[in-house]
Every structure is written in structure tokens, then in C-alpha cells.
Amino acid sequence: MTKLDAYWPEILDVVRQKVPQQTFNTWFLPLYPENSENGDYRVGCPNHFFMDWFSEHHLSALNEAGSVYFGENILFSLKVEEKSEKSDFLDKLEESATSVSSPESIPETKPVRPLNPGFATVATPTARVLPTPSPVTANNLNPDYNFQNFVVGSGTDLAFAAATAIANNPGSHFNPLFVHGGTGLGKTHLMQAIGNEIARQRPDRRICYVTAEHFMNDLIGSIRDNRTPEFKLKYRSMDVLLVDDVAFLAGKESTQEEFFHTFNALYDQKKQIVLTSDRSPKEIATLEERLRSRFEWGLITDIQAPNLETRIAILKRKIEVNHIYITDEVVSYIAENITDNIRRLEGALIRLLAFASLTGREISLEMASEVLSSFFQGSSTGPVKIANVMEVVAETMDVTVDQLKSKRRTQDLARARQIAMNLAREMTGASLNQIGRSFGNRDHSTVSYACQKIQTDMDNDPRFRGVVRNMMDKIRNKQ
């Protein structure tokens, strides 16, 4: 038994005296000491979400407690481990916690469902739940990015289907795959999921995930250190090359030159290439035409902002993975107020969880409104009103708001009304009945048909999709 194993309960007792009981239960009890032969003070934790938050907000308290106990400066490091490697110690730790903690100090909650990310049980989410794959090791890949925890919606179904096809048979279909879309919509997740799945199925494959900026910096370093041949060998010997944010290459002639030859070498060997960008190849200014044409050789697909149902599914999936309990009412509140950025959805969830753990309060709609109001106000995409949607669509389509609400059914007016209904559904979180009432007391089935019609047209016509997206941007700018 290592020194940390032997004294871990006593170190936790020091922490218990310095932090609120709810914080201790939520963030310190799930930790466990990791066996180490070199004297490092390493502790394991349940998952990467937990590790990131703990490192930023609670690691200093743990370091202080260790230093007080051992009488010397102690710095702990965190690591995510397999559950099987920590189960025995957690059993002992739970027994220790039961014997020393005071029941009166633990705040009561209405349903007996703790907020502890390490031990809580949760209600079944609406998001699709698939088995978690075994961890894999590949160059620069984050094992948390996999197909199992990617929630597929109407805006990502094509990209997801292409990604899974590539992962099952790399180099044979859609080479290169070029995925583009706005910030925080899941491009990096999908790209790294491809790498992780290939590594799981084919452990012998050489896989490299790199950002375009890192590729450039690596090239500059190789020229400076006179190791250009090693640089070329490194990238051109890969079986799978995943390059994030290739729009960064724009205007960088020397880097584009090297990437052009790297691309050709891999493509000629039928090695898989996957690229992401916030813009399509045609929209990347100052990109060499020969590179642009190669980016267009395979499949180009975009990732669109998630609709309300997908946003709710993403939040519920995140809740399930991190063992949190939050009511559907609160989940819907978050999803309705953040419309086009998955990272902000997750950020709101983290903020809410942190506040609950620090105050010991139950997560309710009232608390969510209190804690997240400033978070929503800081977003460029705050709550959208149906009236804002109507105003922008009417102005763009050269009709009036009154006409959108009227019973008239001319072709141009019906088209504008369908677009407005679709955007109201996507951006406001309102129900079909609420939208129908706003558009002249129309039936919910009429709204449902309009939403499906516009979504289908957007999927089939990139030009029309661009027009609708421009309207969405104008609507957000009104907030």
C-alpha cells in the first residue's frame, strides 16, 4: 500500500473541514488515490468533464489539504481511469465516508437523486444511448469524442452517415471528406470520432489528428531545425490524416504548398483524409485553386445548428454521461435559450451544476433562471420571439407581417409563411400549437407540414439553405 493509499481518508477529513458538505460529497468523494511507484501524488476521477471542472475550481483545496497533512508542499495530479481499477478503493472510501459524515449536514432534496457525478442515478434520457467503446490510443485523439455520444439530428445526419461509412472502410469512400459548419456544432467531435473508431477496429493503423495551425507550426519548426525530411515522412506515412480548421491555410503560401504535396501523397496511396472548416472550400478566400479543387474531390457536407429536439437530446445525453439529475423542465429552458452552439449548451449545464454543488440547492427552474440569466444575456443568440421571426421573414420575402397571419394562400405568401413557421420552430422553442396561434390560429398539423417542407428543401438546395441561414442571422441580430 502506498503512502497516499494509507492516508487518503485522513486527507479527505482535512478537506471536509474546509469546504461545504455538498461540495465535498459532489467533488471529493468520487476521487481515489492511484498506485504510483515513483512517489507522485496522483488521484483518479470518474470522467474528463469531472477532471476539467475539479482542476479549475477545487484542486487547490486538495493540494492545501495534502500539504497540511504531510507537512510539505504537495501537488496532486488528476487522471481518468477505468472503473474496474478503482472499484475496490471506492468501496472502502464509501464505508469511511459513511462512518464519519453527519447526516444532518447533507441538504435534503425532493426526489432522492443526488447531484454527485460519481454515484448518482438518472432518469432515462431521450437521446439515443449506445454502448461505450473501449478506449483507444491514437495520435492526439480525445477518447471522449466517439460516435456513441454524438447525438444525431436533422442538421448532422448526412455528415454522421458519411463519417461512420469512412470509419468502417477508410480510404474507399468519400475521400477526402470535407465537413464545414459554424463554431461549436460538432465538427471536431465527428472528425475525432472517425479516428477513434478506426483505431478501435484497426489498432495497427497510423492516425494523426492535427489542426491546420499546428501543421504550419510543425512545418516552420522543421525548416528552422533542418529536419524537413522527418516532417514529410511523419505526415505522408499516415493511414488516416485528420486536419481541423483548414481555412487557416488561406493566404499562407508555403504551408499550402507543403499541404498540397502531403495531400497528393496520401490520396495516391488511398489513405483517408478528413478536413473541417467553418466555410466551404469555395468560400475560403486566398486558397490556392489546386487545393480547392482537391478539397472538392470527395464529399462536402455541412453541419447545421441543432433544432430544439436535438438540443434537448444533446443536453440529456450529457446529463446521463455525467450522472446528473435535472428535470425536463430545466433542460427545455436551457435548450430554448441557446439555439446554435453546442459548446454554450454544455457551458450552461456546467455552470448550473457548479452552482448547485457549491450552494447545496436543488436544481429547479427558478434556480436555472437565476443562475443562467446573465449567461444567456452574454450570448449573441438569446431568446428569440416569434414576432422577430415574422418581421425578418416579411422584410426579406417582401410581404407584411399581417399577410403572414392572414388566410391568403398565394404561392409567394405561402412560401414565406412556411419559412417563418420553420424558423419559429427552430429558434424560439415554441410548440406547434403556439406557432399556429401566432400565424392566424392555424392548426398544429399545418405548422408541422411547413417545418418538414422547408427542412427538406434546405437539405436538397444549398442555395435556398443559404437564404434561410441569412434570415436566421438577421433574427439573432435583433436580440
Side-chain angles (χ1 to χ4, degrees):
M1 181 179 287
T2 64
K3 179 167 63 173
L4 193 54
D5 276 329
Y7 299 121
W8 184 249
E10 286 80 0
I11 294 173
L12 289 185
D13 280 344
V14 176
V15 175
R16 195 195 308 272
Q17 299 170 21
K18 297 178 177 293
V19 300
Q21 185 68 42
Q22 181 70 19
T23 300
F24 179 82
N25 291 343
T26 301
W27 297 105
F28 289 91
L29 274 183
L31 299 175
Y32 57 96
E34 184 185 72
N35 292 329
S36 177
E37 297 178 357
N38 57 10
D40 291 343
Y41 292 93
R42 291 194 301 175
V43 293
C45 60
N47 50 57
H48 290 279
F49 168 90
F50 187 105
M51 181 175 68
D52 292 342
W53 182 264
F54 187 92
S55 297
E56 183 175 352
H57 297 277
H58 301 299
L59 184 57
S60 59
L62 182 61
N63 289 336
E64 182 181 349
S67 300
V68 168
Y69 189 82
F70 289 118
E72 58 180 321
N73 188 34
I74 298 297
L75 295 177
F76 289 96
S77 61
L78 271 65
K79 186 177 181 181
V80 177
E81 290 288 352
E82 291 293 312
K83 289 184 179 180
S84 59
E85 297 180 20
K86 68 177 182 178
S87 57
D88 291 342
F89 187 83
L90 283 179
D91 290 340
K92 293 191 297 180
L93 184 58
E94 287 178 323
E95 292 175 5
S96 172
T98 302
S99 64
V100 296
S101 60
S102 171
E104 299 85 25
S105 63
I106 301 177
E108 293 184 359
T109 55
K110 248 193 307 202
V112 185
R113 288 169 175 160
L115 294 172
N116 187 332
F119 300 102
T121 57
V122 298
T124 302
T126 58
R128 182 178 60 181
V129 179
L130 299 176
T132 301
S134 58
V136 295
T137 301
N139 291 344
N140 300 329
L141 292 175
N142 183 342
D144 287 345
Y145 289 148
N146 54 64
F147 291 132
Q148 282 66 29
N149 59 25
F150 187 92
V151 178
V152 184
S154 59
T156 58
D157 49 359
L158 177 59
F160 183 85
T164 52
I166 286 173
N168 291 325
N169 199 1
S172 300
H173 305 290
F174 313 131
N175 197 19
L177 173 65
F178 192 105
V179 182
H180 65 94
T183 300
L185 296 183
K187 300 187 300 296
T188 299
H189 185 146
L190 203 55
M191 167 183 276
Q192 293 207 32
I194 293 173
N196 280 317
E197 183 61 20
I198 293 174
R200 186 185 70 84
Q201 294 185 24
R202 301 171 174 84
D204 59 324
R205 295 295 175 92
R206 290 162 296 185
I207 303 169
C208 180
Y209 164 79
V210 65
T211 64
E213 181 180 10
H214 183 88
F215 182 89
M216 183 192 74
N217 292 336
D218 204 1
L219 173 62
I220 293 172
S222 70
I223 296 173
R224 181 193 61 210
D225 300 335
N226 196 27
R227 51 177 180 83
T228 305
E230 289 87 344
F231 171 88
K232 293 180 178 180
L233 179 64
K234 170 184 175 181
Y235 287 101
R236 298 182 192 183
S237 64
M238 290 295 162
D239 295 304
V240 181
L241 181 61
L242 313 168
V243 184
D244 217 346
D245 191 23
V246 293
F248 181 83
L249 299 175
K252 301 169 178 66
E253 296 179 3
S254 297
T255 306
Q256 289 188 50
E257 174 77 17
E258 182 56 40
F259 191 78
F260 171 79
H261 294 298
T262 298
F263 184 102
N264 285 345
L266 294 174
Y267 187 86
D268 291 343
Q269 299 174 64
K270 298 188 182 301
K271 305 301 184 182
Q272 183 64 53
I273 303 168
V274 182
L275 312 168
T276 71
S277 171
D278 60 347
R279 290 160 279 172
S280 68
K282 290 183 178 179
E283 296 173 327
I284 303 177
T286 65
L287 182 68
E288 291 184 7
E289 190 58 38
R290 59 179 180 171
L291 262 185
R292 194 191 317 275
S293 67
R294 278 159 177 76
F295 291 172
E296 295 172 344
W297 278 355
L299 174 66
I300 300 175
T301 181
D302 66 336
I303 288 184
Q304 302 172 30
N307 58 24
L308 177 65
E309 290 80 3
T310 305
R311 296 196 299 273
I312 291 175
I314 289 170
L315 285 171
K316 289 197 170 186
R317 176 61 182 170
K318 195 74 176 177
I319 288 168
E320 182 228 359
V321 168
N322 292 286
H323 306 285
I324 311 162
Y325 174 73
I326 299 180
T327 65
D328 289 347
E329 186 179 37
V330 174
V331 171
S332 297
Y333 173 72
I334 297 173
E336 289 168 4
N337 283 280
I338 300 178
T339 60
D340 67 346
N341 192 307
I342 297 171
R343 290 193 192 122
R344 284 191 61 80
L345 281 176
E346 296 175 347
L349 193 61
I350 292 172
R351 185 169 184 165
L352 194 58
L353 173 63
F355 185 85
S357 68
L358 292 173
T359 62
R361 290 172 55 187
E362 178 188 355
I363 295 179
S364 62
L365 183 60
E366 181 182 4
M367 178 209 277
S369 177
E370 172 189 341
V371 175
L372 298 178
S373 58
S374 61
F375 187 87
F376 295 150
Q377 291 170 3
S379 171
S380 60
T381 57
V384 175
K385 298 178 181 178
I386 295 178
N388 299 137
V389 174
M390 287 183 171
E391 290 174 10
V392 170
V393 174
E395 180 182 352
T396 305
M397 303 295 289
D398 197 24
V399 297
T400 67
V401 172
D402 288 339
Q403 287 175 326
L404 291 177
K405 298 178 180 180
S406 71
K407 301 299 182 182
R408 292 179 57 191
R409 297 182 179 179
T410 63
Q411 184 175 357
D412 291 345
L413 184 55
R415 183 67 163 174
R417 188 180 293 123
Q418 288 176 340
I419 293 173
M421 288 179 174
N422 174 269
L423 292 180
R425 178 62 170 161
E426 292 291 320
M427 303 184 71
T428 69
S431 68
L432 297 177
N433 286 325
Q434 288 174 318
I435 296 171
R437 286 195 294 270
S438 299
F439 284 84
N441 290 320
R442 283 177 164 81
D443 186 78
H444 75 278
S445 60
T446 301
V447 180
S448 178
Y449 172 79
C451 294
Q452 294 174 11
K453 169 66 174 170
I454 296 302
Q455 189 60 55
T456 299
D457 291 348
M458 289 176 64
D459 292 340
N460 297 331
D461 186 348
R463 188 171 181 179
F464 175 64
R465 183 166 63 242
V467 171
V468 175
R469 284 182 173 177
N470 286 337
M471 292 189 211
M472 294 176 73
D473 290 339
K474 291 180 181 178
I475 292 167
R476 294 186 189 106
N477 290 335
K478 277 184 170 290
Q479 305 312 303

